[in-house]
Amino acid sequence: GDTVQFIFDPKNHTMTQSSFENPCSRLNNGFDSDFHPVANVSQTLPTFSIPVKDSKPIWVYCRQGANTPASHCGKGMVFAVNAEANGKKSFANFQAAAEKI
């Protein structure tokens, strides 16, 4: 399998697993990087890696500002691995659903 490595840029973000149906909610037993505050002048950026074991989609969001108007997920800060290129469960539809939160 492959490994996806997230590199955290300045500010404070997470990489939290969700589902297509609930893009801005943590998936039970899913992964969560926890928050990684990074200063604008930081020379070293933290990372978080996840294994990709099969071809099933993996849905991910940032939980910063969850359930507030400042929600990063609600502003479209989501990610997917193995999403359909087109169709109901495409990345575009996942992001659009997150932005409605």
Side-chain angles (χ1 to χ4, degrees):
D2 292 321
T3 299
V4 174
Q5 182 181 61
F6 301 98
I7 302 170
F8 292 89
D9 281 338
K11 297 287 182 183
N12 193 9
H13 303 285
T14 72
M15 295 308 300
T16 305
Q17 189 173 9
S18 65
S19 65
F20 183 86
E21 295 74 20
N22 296 296
C24 297
S25 295
R26 188 171 179 180
L27 183 68
N28 287 338
N29 300 313
F31 62 79
D32 180 46
S33 68
D34 208 0
F35 286 96
H36 286 275
V38 179
N40 285 334
V41 295
S42 182
Q43 296 295 317
T44 305
L45 301 176
T47 62
F48 179 74
S49 297
I50 59 166
V52 179
K53 300 175 185 175
D54 52 41
S55 60
K56 293 177 186 172
I58 300 172
W59 308 103
V60 183
Y61 75 105
C62 177
R63 62 183 172 90
Q64 180 63 266
N67 303 311
T68 73
S71 166
H72 286 194
C73 184
K75 292 182 179 188
M77 192 176 288
V78 295
F79 177 80
V81 176
N82 294 327
E84 295 177 0
N86 299 301
K88 181 183 177 198
K89 291 194 173 184
S90 68
F91 174 76
N93 287 342
F94 177 65
Q95 188 173 44
E99 290 173 341
K100 291 178 183 176
I101 304 288

Coordinates of all heavy atoms in Angstrom, one line a residue:
G1 N 0.8 -1.2 0.0 CA 0.0 0.0 0.0 C 0.9 1.3 0.0 O 2.1 1.2 0.1
D2 N 0.2 2.3 -0.1 CA 0.8 3.7 -0.1 C 0.7 4.3 1.2 O -0.1 3.9 2.1 CB 0.2 4.6 -1.2 CG 0.5 4.1 -2.6 OD1 1.6 3.6 -2.8 OD2 -0.4 4.1 -3.5
T3 N 1.4 5.4 1.4 CA 1.3 6.3 2.5 C 1.1 7.7 2.1 O 1.7 8.2 1.1 CB 2.6 6.2 3.4 OG1 2.8 4.9 3.8 CG2 2.5 7.1 4.6
V4 N 0.1 8.4 2.7 CA -0.1 9.8 2.4 C 0.5 10.6 3.6 O 0.1 10.3 4.8 CB -1.6 10.1 2.3 CG1 -1.8 11.6 2.1 CG2 -2.2 9.4 1.1
Q5 N 1.3 11.6 3.3 CA 1.9 12.4 4.4 C 1.4 13.8 4.3 O 1.5 14.4 3.2 CB 3.4 12.4 4.3 CG 4.1 13.2 5.4 CD 5.6 13.2 5.3 OE1 6.1 13.7 4.3 NE2 6.2 12.7 6.3
F6 N 0.8 14.3 5.4 CA 0.3 15.7 5.4 C 1.4 16.5 6.1 O 2.1 16.1 7.1 CB -0.9 15.7 6.3 CG -2.1 14.9 5.8 CD1 -2.3 13.6 6.3 CD2 -2.9 15.4 4.8 CE1 -3.3 12.9 5.9 CE2 -3.9 14.6 4.3 CZ -4.2 13.3 4.9
I7 N 1.7 17.7 5.5 CA 2.6 18.6 6.1 C 1.8 19.8 6.5 O 1.1 20.4 5.7 CB 3.7 19.0 5.0 CG1 4.4 17.7 4.5 CG2 4.7 20.0 5.6 CD1 5.3 18.0 3.3
F8 N 1.9 20.1 7.8 CA 1.1 21.2 8.4 C 1.8 22.6 8.1 O 2.9 22.8 8.6 CB 0.9 21.0 9.9 CG 0.0 19.8 10.1 CD1 0.6 18.5 10.3 CD2 -1.4 19.9 10.2 CE1 -0.3 17.4 10.5 CE2 -2.2 18.9 10.4 CZ -1.6 17.6 10.6
D9 N 1.1 23.5 7.5 CA 1.6 24.8 7.3 C 1.2 25.7 8.5 O 0.4 25.3 9.3 CB 0.9 25.4 6.0 CG 1.6 24.9 4.7 OD1 2.8 24.5 4.8 OD2 1.0 25.0 3.7
P10 N 1.7 26.9 8.5 CA 1.4 27.8 9.6 C -0.1 28.0 9.9 O -0.9 27.9 9.0 CB 2.0 29.1 9.2 CG 3.2 28.7 8.4 CD 2.7 27.5 7.6
K11 N -0.4 28.2 11.1 CA -1.7 28.3 11.8 C -1.9 27.1 12.6 O -0.9 26.6 13.2 CB -2.8 28.6 10.8 CG -2.7 29.9 10.0 CD -3.0 31.1 10.9 CE -2.9 32.3 10.0 NZ -3.1 33.5 10.7
N12 N -3.1 26.5 12.7 CA -3.3 25.4 13.6 C -4.4 24.5 13.0 O -5.6 24.9 12.9 CB -3.8 26.0 15.0 CG -3.8 24.9 16.0 OD1 -3.3 23.8 15.8 ND2 -4.4 25.2 17.2
H13 N -4.0 23.4 12.5 CA -4.9 22.5 11.7 C -4.9 21.1 12.3 O -4.0 20.7 13.0 CB -4.5 22.5 10.3 CG -4.5 23.8 9.6 ND1 -5.6 24.5 9.3 CD2 -3.4 24.6 9.3 CE1 -5.3 25.7 8.7 NE2 -4.0 25.8 8.7
T14 N -5.9 20.3 11.8 CA -5.9 18.8 12.1 C -6.1 18.1 10.7 O -6.6 18.7 9.8 CB -7.0 18.4 13.0 OG1 -8.3 18.5 12.3 CG2 -7.1 19.2 14.3
M15 N -5.9 16.9 10.7 CA -6.3 16.0 9.7 C -7.1 14.9 10.4 O -6.6 14.1 11.1 CB -5.1 15.3 9.0 CG -4.2 16.3 8.2 SD -5.1 17.4 7.1 CE -5.8 16.3 5.9
T16 N -8.4 15.0 10.2 CA -9.4 14.2 11.0 C -10.2 13.4 10.0 O -10.8 14.0 9.1 CB -10.2 15.0 11.9 OG1 -9.4 15.8 12.7 CG2 -11.2 14.2 12.7
Q17 N -10.3 12.1 10.2 CA -11.1 11.2 9.3 C -12.6 11.4 9.5 O -13.1 11.5 10.6 CB -10.7 9.8 9.5 CG -11.3 8.9 8.4 CD -10.8 7.5 8.5 OE1 -10.2 7.1 9.4 NE2 -11.2 6.7 7.5
S18 N -13.3 11.5 8.4 CA -14.8 11.7 8.5 C -15.4 10.7 7.5 O -14.8 9.7 7.1 CB -15.2 13.1 8.1 OG -14.9 13.4 6.7
S19 N -16.6 10.9 7.1 CA -17.3 10.1 6.1 C -17.9 11.0 5.0 O -18.0 12.2 5.3 CB -18.4 9.3 6.8 OG -19.4 10.2 7.2
F20 N -18.2 10.5 3.9 CA -18.8 11.2 2.8 C -20.1 11.9 3.3 O -20.4 13.0 3.0 CB -19.0 10.4 1.6 CG -19.6 11.2 0.4 CD1 -18.7 11.8 -0.4 CD2 -20.9 11.3 0.2 CE1 -19.2 12.6 -1.5 CE2 -21.5 12.0 -0.8 CZ -20.6 12.7 -1.7
E21 N -20.9 11.1 4.1 CA -22.2 11.5 4.5 C -22.1 12.7 5.6 O -23.0 13.5 5.7 CB -23.0 10.4 5.1 CG -23.3 9.3 4.0 CD -22.1 8.4 3.6 OE1 -21.1 8.3 4.4 OE2 -22.2 7.8 2.5
N22 N -21.1 12.7 6.3 CA -20.9 13.7 7.4 C -19.5 14.3 7.3 O -18.6 13.9 8.1 CB -21.1 13.1 8.8 CG -22.5 12.6 8.9 OD1 -23.5 13.4 8.9 ND2 -22.7 11.3 9.1
P23 N -19.3 15.1 6.3 CA -17.9 15.6 6.0 C -17.2 16.3 7.1 O -15.9 16.3 7.2 CB -18.1 16.5 4.8 CG -19.5 16.9 4.8 CD -20.2 15.7 5.4
C24 N -17.9 17.0 8.0 CA -17.3 17.8 9.1 C -17.5 17.2 10.5 O -17.5 17.9 11.5 CB -17.8 19.2 9.0 SG -17.4 20.1 7.5
S25 N -17.6 15.8 10.5 CA -17.8 15.1 11.8 C -16.8 14.0 11.8 O -16.6 13.3 10.9 CB -19.2 14.6 11.9 OG -20.2 15.6 12.0
R26 N -16.2 13.8 13.0 CA -15.2 12.8 13.2 C -15.8 11.4 13.1 O -16.8 11.1 13.7 CB -14.5 13.0 14.6 CG -13.3 12.1 14.8 CD -12.6 12.5 16.0 NE -11.5 11.6 16.2 CZ -10.7 11.7 17.3 NH1 -10.8 12.6 18.2 NH2 -9.7 10.8 17.4
L27 N -15.1 10.6 12.3 CA -15.6 9.2 12.1 C -15.2 8.4 13.4 O -14.1 8.4 13.8 CB -14.9 8.6 10.9 CG -15.3 7.2 10.5 CD1 -16.7 7.1 10.0 CD2 -14.3 6.7 9.4
N28 N -16.2 7.6 13.9 CA -15.9 6.7 15.0 C -14.7 5.8 14.7 O -14.7 5.2 13.6 CB -17.1 5.9 15.4 CG -18.2 6.7 16.1 OD1 -17.9 7.8 16.6 ND2 -19.4 6.3 16.1
N29 N -13.7 5.7 15.5 CA -12.6 4.9 15.3 C -11.7 5.4 14.2 O -10.8 4.6 13.7 CB -12.9 3.4 15.2 CG -13.6 2.9 16.4 OD1 -13.2 3.2 17.5 ND2 -14.7 2.2 16.2
G30 N -12.0 6.5 13.6 CA -11.1 7.1 12.6 C -9.9 7.8 13.1 O -9.8 8.0 14.3
F31 N -9.0 8.1 12.2 CA -7.7 8.8 12.7 C -8.0 10.2 12.9 O -8.9 10.9 12.4 CB -6.6 8.5 11.7 CG -6.8 9.1 10.3 CD1 -6.7 10.5 10.1 CD2 -7.2 8.3 9.3 CE1 -6.9 11.0 8.8 CE2 -7.5 8.8 8.0 CZ -7.3 10.2 7.8
D32 N -7.1 10.8 13.8 CA -7.1 12.2 14.0 C -5.7 12.6 14.4 O -5.1 12.1 15.3 CB -8.1 12.6 15.2 CG -8.1 14.0 15.5 OD1 -8.2 14.9 14.6 OD2 -8.0 14.4 16.7
S33 N -5.1 13.6 13.7 CA -3.8 14.1 14.0 C -3.7 14.9 15.3 O -2.6 15.1 15.7 CB -3.3 14.9 12.8 OG -4.0 16.1 12.8
D34 N -4.8 15.4 15.8 CA -4.8 16.4 16.8 C -4.3 17.7 16.2 O -3.9 17.7 15.1 CB -4.1 16.0 18.1 CG -4.7 16.6 19.3 OD1 -5.7 17.4 19.2 OD2 -4.1 16.4 20.4
F35 N -4.4 18.7 17.0 CA -4.0 20.1 16.5 C -2.5 20.2 16.4 O -1.8 19.7 17.2 CB -4.6 21.2 17.4 CG -6.1 21.4 17.1 CD1 -7.0 20.7 18.0 CD2 -6.5 22.1 16.1 CE1 -8.3 20.9 17.8 CE2 -7.9 22.3 15.9 CZ -8.8 21.6 16.7
H36 N -2.0 20.9 15.3 CA -0.6 21.1 15.1 C -0.4 22.6 14.9 O -0.4 23.1 13.8 CB -0.1 20.4 13.9 CG 0.1 18.9 14.1 ND1 1.2 18.4 14.7 CD2 -0.8 17.9 13.9 CE1 1.1 17.1 14.8 NE2 -0.1 16.8 14.4
P37 N -0.3 23.4 16.0 CA 0.0 24.8 15.9 C 1.4 25.1 15.3 O 2.4 24.5 15.7 CB -0.1 25.4 17.3 CG 0.0 24.2 18.2 CD -0.4 23.0 17.4
V38 N 1.4 25.9 14.2 CA 2.7 26.2 13.5 C 2.8 27.7 13.4 O 2.0 28.3 12.8 CB 2.7 25.5 12.1 CG1 4.1 25.8 11.4 CG2 2.5 24.0 12.3
A39 N 3.9 28.2 13.9 CA 4.2 29.7 13.8 C 4.5 30.0 12.3 O 5.1 29.2 11.6 CB 5.3 30.1 14.7
N40 N 4.2 31.3 12.0 CA 4.5 31.7 10.6 C 6.0 31.7 10.3 O 6.4 31.6 9.1 CB 4.0 33.2 10.4 CG 2.5 33.2 10.2 OD1 1.9 32.2 9.8 ND2 1.9 34.3 10.6
V41 N 6.9 31.8 11.3 CA 8.3 31.8 11.1 C 9.0 30.4 11.3 O 10.2 30.3 11.3 CB 9.0 32.8 12.0 CG1 8.5 34.2 11.6 CG2 8.7 32.5 13.5
S42 N 8.2 29.4 11.4 CA 8.7 28.1 11.7 C 9.5 27.5 10.6 O 9.1 27.6 9.4 CB 7.5 27.1 12.0 OG 8.0 25.8 12.3
Q43 N 10.7 27.0 10.9 CA 11.6 26.4 9.9 C 11.2 24.9 9.8 O 11.6 24.3 8.7 CB 13.0 26.5 10.4 CG 13.5 28.0 10.5 CD 13.5 28.7 9.1 OE1 13.9 28.1 8.1 NE2 13.0 29.9 9.1
T44 N 10.6 24.3 10.7 CA 10.3 22.9 10.7 C 8.8 22.7 10.7 O 8.1 23.2 11.6 CB 10.9 22.1 11.9 OG1 12.3 22.4 11.9 CG2 10.7 20.7 11.8
L45 N 8.2 22.0 9.8 CA 6.8 21.8 9.7 C 6.5 20.4 10.1 O 7.1 19.4 9.7 CB 6.3 22.0 8.3 CG 6.6 23.4 7.7 CD1 6.1 23.5 6.3 CD2 5.9 24.5 8.6
P46 N 5.5 20.2 11.1 CA 5.1 18.9 11.5 C 4.4 18.1 10.4 O 3.8 18.7 9.5 CB 4.2 19.1 12.7 CG 3.7 20.5 12.6 CD 4.8 21.3 11.8
T47 N 4.5 16.8 10.5 CA 3.9 15.9 9.5 C 3.0 14.9 10.2 O 3.1 14.6 11.4 CB 4.9 15.2 8.7 OG1 5.7 14.3 9.5 CG2 5.8 16.1 7.9
F48 N 2.1 14.3 9.5 CA 1.2 13.2 10.0 C 1.0 12.3 8.8 O 0.6 12.8 7.7 CB -0.1 13.8 10.4 CG -1.1 12.8 10.9 CD1 -0.9 12.2 12.2 CD2 -2.3 12.5 10.2 CE1 -1.9 11.3 12.6 CE2 -3.2 11.6 10.7 CZ -3.0 10.9 11.9
S49 N 1.2 11.0 8.9 CA 1.0 10.1 7.8 C -0.1 9.1 8.1 O -0.3 8.7 9.2 CB 2.4 9.3 7.7 OG 3.4 10.2 7.3
I50 N -0.7 8.7 7.0 CA -1.7 7.6 7.1 C -1.5 6.6 6.0 O -1.0 6.9 4.9 CB -3.2 8.2 6.9 CG1 -3.3 8.9 5.6 CG2 -3.6 9.1 8.1 CD1 -4.8 9.1 5.2
P51 N -1.7 5.3 6.4 CA -1.5 4.2 5.3 C -2.7 4.1 4.5 O -3.9 4.3 4.9 CB -1.3 3.0 6.2 CG -2.1 3.3 7.4 CD -1.9 4.7 7.7
V52 N -2.5 3.9 3.2 CA -3.6 3.6 2.3 C -3.6 2.1 2.0 O -2.7 1.7 1.2 CB -3.5 4.5 1.0 CG1 -4.7 4.2 0.1 CG2 -3.5 5.9 1.4
K53 N -4.4 1.3 2.6 CA -4.4 -0.1 2.5 C -5.1 -0.7 1.3 O -4.9 -1.9 1.0 CB -4.9 -0.7 3.8 CG -4.1 -0.2 5.0 CD -4.7 -0.7 6.3 CE -3.9 -0.2 7.5 NZ -4.5 -0.5 8.8
D54 N -6.1 0.0 0.8 CA -6.9 -0.5 -0.3 C -7.4 0.6 -1.1 O -7.0 1.8 -1.0 CB -8.0 -1.4 0.2 CG -8.8 -0.7 1.3 OD1 -9.1 0.5 1.1 OD2 -9.2 -1.3 2.3
S55 N -8.4 0.4 -2.0 CA -8.9 1.4 -2.9 C -10.1 2.1 -2.4 O -10.8 2.9 -3.1 CB -9.2 0.8 -4.3 OG -10.1 -0.2 -4.2
K56 N -10.5 1.8 -1.1 CA -11.7 2.5 -0.5 C -11.4 3.9 -0.3 O -10.3 4.3 0.1 CB -12.1 1.8 0.8 CG -12.6 0.4 0.7 CD -12.8 -0.2 2.0 CE -13.2 -1.7 1.9 NZ -13.3 -2.3 3.3
P57 N -12.4 4.8 -0.5 CA -12.2 6.2 -0.2 C -11.9 6.5 1.2 O -12.4 5.8 2.1 CB -13.5 6.9 -0.6 CG -14.2 5.9 -1.5 CD -13.8 4.5 -1.0
I58 N -11.0 7.5 1.4 CA -10.7 8.0 2.8 C -11.1 9.5 2.7 O -10.6 10.2 1.9 CB -9.2 7.8 3.1 CG1 -8.9 6.3 3.1 CG2 -8.9 8.4 4.5 CD1 -7.4 6.1 3.2
W59 N -12.0 9.9 3.6 CA -12.5 11.3 3.7 C -11.9 12.0 4.9 O -11.8 11.4 6.0 CB -14.0 11.3 3.8 CG -14.7 10.5 2.7 CD1 -15.2 9.2 2.9 CD2 -14.8 10.8 1.3 NE1 -15.7 8.8 1.7 CE2 -15.4 9.7 0.7 CE3 -14.5 11.9 0.6 CZ2 -15.8 9.7 -0.7 CZ3 -14.8 11.9 -0.8 CH2 -15.4 10.8 -1.4
V60 N -11.4 13.2 4.7 CA -10.6 13.9 5.8 C -11.0 15.4 5.8 O -11.3 16.0 4.8 CB -9.1 13.8 5.5 CG1 -8.3 14.4 6.6 CG2 -8.7 12.4 5.2
Y61 N -11.0 15.9 7.0 CA -11.3 17.4 7.2 C -10.4 18.0 8.3 O -9.8 17.2 9.1 CB -12.8 17.6 7.5 CG -13.2 17.2 8.9 CD1 -13.4 18.2 9.8 CD2 -13.3 15.9 9.3 CE1 -13.8 17.9 11.1 CE2 -13.7 15.6 10.6 CZ -14.0 16.6 11.5 OH -14.3 16.3 12.8
C62 N -10.4 19.3 8.3 CA -9.7 20.0 9.4 C -10.8 20.4 10.4 O -11.8 21.0 10.1 CB -9.0 21.3 8.9 SG -8.3 22.2 10.3
R63 N -10.6 20.0 11.7 CA -11.7 20.3 12.7 C -11.5 21.6 13.4 O -12.2 21.9 14.4 CB -11.8 19.2 13.6 CG -10.7 18.8 14.5 CD -11.1 17.5 15.3 NE -9.9 17.0 16.0 CZ -9.5 17.4 17.3 NH1 -10.3 18.3 17.9 NH2 -8.5 16.9 17.8
Q64 N -10.6 22.5 12.9 CA -10.4 23.8 13.5 C -11.7 24.6 13.4 O -12.3 24.7 12.3 CB -9.2 24.6 12.8 CG -9.0 25.9 13.4 CD -8.5 25.9 14.8 OE1 -9.3 26.1 15.7 NE2 -7.2 25.8 15.0
G65 N -12.1 25.2 14.5 CA -13.4 26.0 14.4 C -14.6 25.2 14.3 O -15.6 25.8 13.9
A66 N -14.6 23.9 14.6 CA -15.8 23.1 14.3 C -17.0 23.7 15.0 O -17.0 24.2 16.1 CB -15.5 21.7 14.9
N67 N -18.1 23.6 14.2 CA -19.4 24.0 14.7 C -19.5 25.5 14.9 O -20.3 26.0 15.8 CB -19.9 23.2 15.9 CG -19.9 21.7 15.7 OD1 -20.4 21.3 14.7 ND2 -19.3 21.0 16.5
T68 N -18.7 26.3 14.3 CA -18.7 27.8 14.4 C -18.7 28.3 12.9 O -18.3 27.6 12.0 CB -17.5 28.3 15.1 OG1 -16.3 28.2 14.3 CG2 -17.3 27.6 16.5
P69 N -19.0 29.6 12.8 CA -18.8 30.2 11.4 C -17.4 30.2 10.9 O -17.2 30.3 9.7 CB -19.3 31.6 11.6 CG -20.2 31.5 12.8 CD -19.6 30.5 13.7
A70 N -16.4 30.0 11.8 CA -15.0 30.0 11.4 C -14.5 28.6 11.0 O -13.3 28.4 10.8 CB -14.1 30.6 12.5
S71 N -15.4 27.6 10.9 CA -15.0 26.3 10.7 C -14.2 26.1 9.4 O -14.6 26.5 8.3 CB -16.3 25.4 10.5 OG -16.0 24.2 9.9
H72 N -13.0 25.5 9.5 CA -12.2 25.3 8.4 C -12.9 24.3 7.4 O -12.8 24.5 6.2 CB -10.8 24.8 8.8 CG -9.9 25.8 9.4 ND1 -8.6 25.6 9.6 CD2 -10.2 27.1 9.9 CE1 -8.0 26.7 10.1 NE2 -9.0 27.6 10.3
C73 N -13.5 23.3 8.0 CA -14.2 22.3 7.1 C -15.3 23.0 6.3 O -15.5 22.8 5.1 CB -14.8 21.2 8.0 SG -15.6 19.9 7.0
G74 N -16.1 23.9 7.0 CA -17.2 24.6 6.4 C -16.7 25.6 5.3 O -17.5 26.0 4.5
K75 N -15.4 25.9 5.4 CA -14.8 26.7 4.3 C -14.2 25.9 3.2 O -13.5 26.4 2.3 CB -13.8 27.7 4.9 CG -14.5 28.7 5.8 CD -13.5 29.7 6.4 CE -14.3 30.7 7.2 NZ -13.6 31.8 7.7
G76 N -14.4 24.6 3.3 CA -13.9 23.7 2.2 C -12.5 23.0 2.5 O -11.9 22.5 1.6
M77 N -12.0 23.1 3.7 CA -10.7 22.5 4.0 C -10.9 21.0 4.3 O -10.9 20.6 5.4 CB -10.0 23.2 5.2 CG -8.6 22.8 5.3 SD -7.7 23.7 6.6 CE -7.5 25.3 5.9
V78 N -11.0 20.3 3.2 CA -11.2 18.8 3.2 C -10.3 18.2 2.2 O -9.7 18.8 1.4 CB -12.7 18.5 2.9 CG1 -13.6 19.0 3.9 CG2 -13.1 19.0 1.5
F79 N -10.2 16.9 2.3 CA -9.2 16.1 1.5 C -9.8 14.7 1.3 O -10.5 14.2 2.2 CB -7.9 16.0 2.2 CG -6.9 15.2 1.5 CD1 -6.1 15.7 0.5 CD2 -6.6 13.9 2.0 CE1 -5.2 14.9 -0.1 CE2 -5.6 13.1 1.3 CZ -4.9 13.6 0.3
A80 N -9.5 14.1 0.2 CA -9.9 12.7 0.0 C -8.9 11.9 -0.7 O -8.1 12.4 -1.5 CB -11.2 12.7 -0.8
V81 N -8.8 10.6 -0.4 CA -8.0 9.6 -1.1 C -9.0 8.7 -1.8 O -9.9 8.2 -1.1 CB -7.1 8.9 -0.1 CG1 -6.3 7.8 -0.8 CG2 -6.2 9.9 0.6
N82 N -8.7 8.3 -3.0 CA -9.5 7.3 -3.7 C -11.0 7.7 -3.9 O -11.9 6.8 -4.0 CB -9.4 5.9 -3.0 CG -8.1 5.3 -3.1 OD1 -7.3 5.6 -4.1 ND2 -7.7 4.6 -2.1
A83 N -11.3 9.0 -4.0 CA -12.6 9.4 -4.3 C -12.9 9.2 -5.7 O -12.0 9.1 -6.6 CB -12.8 10.9 -4.0
E84 N -14.2 9.0 -6.0 CA -14.6 8.9 -7.4 C -14.2 10.1 -8.2 O -14.3 11.2 -7.7 CB -16.1 8.7 -7.5 CG -16.7 7.4 -6.9 CD -18.2 7.4 -7.0 OE1 -18.8 8.3 -7.5 OE2 -18.8 6.4 -6.5
A85 N -13.8 9.9 -9.4 CA -13.4 11.1 -10.3 C -14.7 11.9 -10.6 O -14.7 13.1 -10.6 CB -12.8 10.6 -11.5
N86 N -15.8 11.2 -10.9 CA -17.1 11.8 -11.2 C -18.1 11.0 -10.4 O -17.8 9.9 -9.9 CB -17.4 11.8 -12.7 CG -16.3 12.5 -13.4 OD1 -16.1 13.7 -13.2 ND2 -15.6 11.8 -14.3
G87 N -19.3 11.5 -10.4 CA -20.4 10.7 -9.7 C -20.7 11.2 -8.3 O -20.2 12.2 -7.9
K88 N -21.6 10.5 -7.7 CA -22.2 11.0 -6.4 C -21.1 11.2 -5.3 O -21.1 12.2 -4.6 CB -23.2 10.0 -5.9 CG -23.8 10.4 -4.6 CD -24.8 9.4 -4.0 CE -25.3 9.8 -2.7 NZ -25.8 8.8 -1.9
K89 N -20.1 10.3 -5.2 CA -19.1 10.4 -4.2 C -17.8 10.9 -4.7 O -16.7 10.4 -4.4 CB -18.9 9.0 -3.5 CG -20.2 8.6 -2.7 CD -19.9 7.5 -1.7 CE -21.1 7.3 -0.8 NZ -20.8 6.3 0.2
S90 N -17.9 12.0 -5.5 CA -16.7 12.6 -6.0 C -16.1 13.6 -4.9 O -16.8 14.0 -4.0 CB -17.0 13.4 -7.3 OG -17.8 14.5 -6.9
F91 N -14.9 14.0 -5.1 CA -14.3 15.0 -4.2 C -15.1 16.3 -4.2 O -15.3 16.9 -3.2 CB -12.8 15.2 -4.5 CG -12.3 16.3 -3.6 CD1 -12.0 16.1 -2.3 CD2 -12.1 17.6 -4.1 CE1 -11.5 17.1 -1.5 CE2 -11.6 18.6 -3.3 CZ -11.3 18.4 -2.0
A92 N -15.5 16.7 -5.4 CA -16.2 18.0 -5.6 C -17.5 17.9 -4.8 O -17.8 18.9 -4.1 CB -16.5 18.2 -7.1
N93 N -18.2 16.8 -4.8 CA -19.4 16.7 -4.0 C -19.2 16.7 -2.5 O -19.9 17.2 -1.7 CB -20.3 15.5 -4.5 CG -20.9 15.7 -5.8 OD1 -21.0 16.8 -6.3 ND2 -21.2 14.6 -6.5
F94 N -18.1 16.0 -2.1 CA -17.7 16.0 -0.7 C -17.4 17.4 -0.2 O -17.9 17.8 0.8 CB -16.5 15.1 -0.6 CG -15.9 15.0 0.8 CD1 -16.6 14.4 1.9 CD2 -14.6 15.4 1.1 CE1 -16.1 14.3 3.2 CE2 -14.1 15.3 2.3 CZ -14.8 14.8 3.4
Q95 N -16.6 18.1 -1.0 CA -16.3 19.5 -0.6 C -17.5 20.4 -0.6 O -17.7 21.2 0.3 CB -15.2 20.1 -1.5 CG -14.6 21.4 -1.1 CD -13.5 21.8 -1.9 OE1 -13.5 21.7 -3.2 NE2 -12.4 22.3 -1.3
A96 N -18.4 20.3 -1.5 CA -19.6 21.1 -1.6 C -20.4 20.8 -0.4 O -21.0 21.7 0.2 CB -20.4 20.8 -2.9
A97 N -20.5 19.5 0.1 CA -21.3 19.2 1.2 C -20.7 19.8 2.5 O -21.4 20.3 3.4 CB -21.4 17.7 1.4
A98 N -19.4 19.8 2.6 CA -18.7 20.4 3.7 C -19.0 21.9 3.8 O -19.2 22.5 4.8 CB -17.2 20.1 3.6
E99 N -19.0 22.5 2.6 CA -19.2 24.0 2.6 C -20.6 24.4 3.0 O -20.8 25.6 3.2 CB -18.8 24.5 1.2 CG -17.3 24.5 1.0 CD -16.9 24.8 -0.4 OE1 -17.7 24.7 -1.4 OE2 -15.7 25.1 -0.6
K100 N -21.5 23.5 3.0 CA -22.9 23.8 3.4 C -23.0 23.7 4.9 O -24.1 24.1 5.5 CB -23.8 22.8 2.8 CG -24.0 23.0 1.3 CD -24.9 21.9 0.7 CE -25.0 22.1 -0.8 NZ -25.8 21.0 -1.4
I101 N -22.0 23.2 5.6 CA -22.1 23.1 7.1 C -22.0 24.5 7.8 O -21.3 25.3 7.4 CB -20.9 22.2 7.6 CG1 -20.9 20.8 6.9 CG2 -20.9 22.1 9.1 CD1 -22.0 19.9 7.3

